[in-house]
């Protein structure tokens, strides 16, 4: 059933706690860099953040085997749906979006939450988007559902959602109903020309498409007033993002979304505000090293 988080007590320096990111594949994850930087900045010397390969079938057993030293888990694909099934309590956002990227362990059991929404909201606010208008979302997966929740928070409850096949957007429509929003779901992605026209007058564009899928939209006649968030962060800038930047748009990398969702995870798991500055510095250094 839906529930709101009970914040953990602030962790004392020297406490021995564990956390990790799980997913499949997960070796490329930047979450360890972000969380370890947070622990260093907060003086949490006894905290350790690991990385484990885990698929949907393996998550229940993995969670059942954890001992009391575990504070929480970050969950990436394909675990965001099944995370709700292994939780004792689920946040309103995770319930509405049908996806959780965070499990927090405490006296009241396993709490599932979705910090992707906060990641999108804070990434856009950081880019100067205080209020969303005429928003367009590309895609209909889990991140697109989080985008609907984020846009609702930013003041646009009726964005356009562009997909290839509206018949495959049932989960998004169900999430929209739970969120109380009314997106206009269109099959414009089936024709890049139609999609480009839909983007040309948008106030905010959030692409949740996988790497390379938005490349066909590089010919969009962008308005310089458009803010564009591309959730992809590998191989940045993507051709899609680069085309928007060349037109003068405010362009937000998926790295910013990744940073801010991790900041919220640190807060949930440790009871202390996630330190944005040190986490950003560590992320930028790691991305530079991998380039």
């Amino acid at each position: 059933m839906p529930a709101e988080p009970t914040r953990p007590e602030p962790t004392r320096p020297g406490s021995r706690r564990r956390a990790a990111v799980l997913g499949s594949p997960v070796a490329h994850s930047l979450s360890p860099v972000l969380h370890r930087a947070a622990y260093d900045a907060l003086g949490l010397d006894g905290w350790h953040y690991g990385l484990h390969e885990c698929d949907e079938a393996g998550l229940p057993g993995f969670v059942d085997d954890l001992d009391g030293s575990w504070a929480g888990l970050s969950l990436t694909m394909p675990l965001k749906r099944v995370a709700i099934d292994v939780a004792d309590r689920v946040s309103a956002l995770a319930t509405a979006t049908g996806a959780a990227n965070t499990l927090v362990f405490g006296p009241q059991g396993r709490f599932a939450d979705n910090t992707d929404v906060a990641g999108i909201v804070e990434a856009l606010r950081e880019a100067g988007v205080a209020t969303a208008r005429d928003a367009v979302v590309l895609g209909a997966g889990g991140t697109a559902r989080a985008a609907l929740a984020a846009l609702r928070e930013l003041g646009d409850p009726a964005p356009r959602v562009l997909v290839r096949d509206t018949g495959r957007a049932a989960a998004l429509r169900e999430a929209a109903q739970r969120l109380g929003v009314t997106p206009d779901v269109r099959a414009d992605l089936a024709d890049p020309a139609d999609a480009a026209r839909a983007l040309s007058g948008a106030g905010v564009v959030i692409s949740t498409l996988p790497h390379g899928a938005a490349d066909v939209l590089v010919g969009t006649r962008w308005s310089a007033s458009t803010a564009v968030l591309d959730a992809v962060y590998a191989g940045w800038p993507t051709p899609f993002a680069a085309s928007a930047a060349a037109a003068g748009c405010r362009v937000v990398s998926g790295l910013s979304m990744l940073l801010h969702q991790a900041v919220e995870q640190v807060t949930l798991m440790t009871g202390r505000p996630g330190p944005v500055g040190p986490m950003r510095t560590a992320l930028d250094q790691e991305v530079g090293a991998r380039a």
Side-chain angles (χ1 to χ4, degrees):
M1 61 183 294
E4 293 304 322
T6 299
R7 298 288 186 183
E9 291 294 324
T11 305
R12 298 186 303 274
S15 299
R16 297 190 62 83
R17 302 303 305 276
R18 300 176 68 187
V21 59
L22 273 61
S24 184
V26 77
H28 65 287
S29 176
L30 291 164
S31 290
V33 173
L34 288 161
H35 285 256
R36 290 168 187 169
Y39 299 162
D40 289 344
L42 294 171
L44 300 177
D45 299 333
W47 281 64
H48 172 77
Y49 191 94
L51 181 151
H52 298 275
E53 184 82 12
C54 182
D55 61 14
E56 290 180 289
L59 183 63
F62 186 98
V63 173
D64 287 343
D65 287 342
L66 300 182
D67 61 27
S69 68
W70 284 81
L73 297 173
S74 307
L75 303 166
T76 187
M77 295 301 293
L79 303 177
K80 294 185 179 184
R81 182 197 58 78
V82 71
I84 292 176
D85 298 334
V86 302
D88 300 306
R89 300 164 55 243
V90 183
S91 75
L93 274 179
T95 299
T97 59
N101 70 331
T102 310
L103 279 175
V104 181
F105 306 125
Q108 297 180 356
R110 308 164 182 170
F111 175 71
D113 204 354
N114 186 321
T115 70
D116 284 335
V117 177
I120 295 171
V121 170
E122 293 306 316
L124 287 170
R125 283 178 174 162
E126 194 171 66
V129 179
T131 303
R133 60 171 184 81
D134 299 323
V136 177
V137 177
L138 303 180
T143 304
R145 301 196 296 273
L148 290 183
L151 289 169
R152 180 188 66 173
E153 185 169 336
L154 290 168
D156 190 345
R160 285 168 288 171
V161 178
L162 310 188
V163 298
R164 291 187 180 277
D165 180 358
T166 57
R168 300 180 65 181
L172 181 133
R173 293 182 192 276
E174 292 168 1
Q177 185 172 21
R178 292 190 295 267
L179 287 164
V181 299
T182 54
D184 178 10
V185 183
R186 307 180 181 182
D188 287 3
L189 282 181
D191 185 337
D194 288 342
R197 281 192 291 271
L199 299 182
S200 62
V204 175
V205 173
I206 301 175
S207 174
T208 70
L209 300 176
H211 197 285
D215 289 358
V216 295
L217 301 175
V218 296
T220 296
R221 293 186 177 181
W222 293 104
S223 166
S225 63
T226 303
V228 179
L229 188 159
D230 189 343
V232 171
Y233 57 80
W236 189 262
T238 63
F240 175 74
S243 71
C249 299
R250 287 171 289 173
V251 175
V252 184
S253 167
L255 287 167
S256 183
M257 174 185 166
L258 179 72
L259 165 67
H260 288 290
Q261 65 82 26
V263 168
E264 182 65 15
Q265 285 185 336
V266 169
T267 302
L268 286 169
M269 293 182 194
T270 70
R272 299 186 178 193
V276 179
M279 293 173 71
R280 189 195 309 276
T281 297
L283 179 62
D284 289 345
Q285 290 175 346
E286 180 65 19
V287 170
R290 294 188 184 188

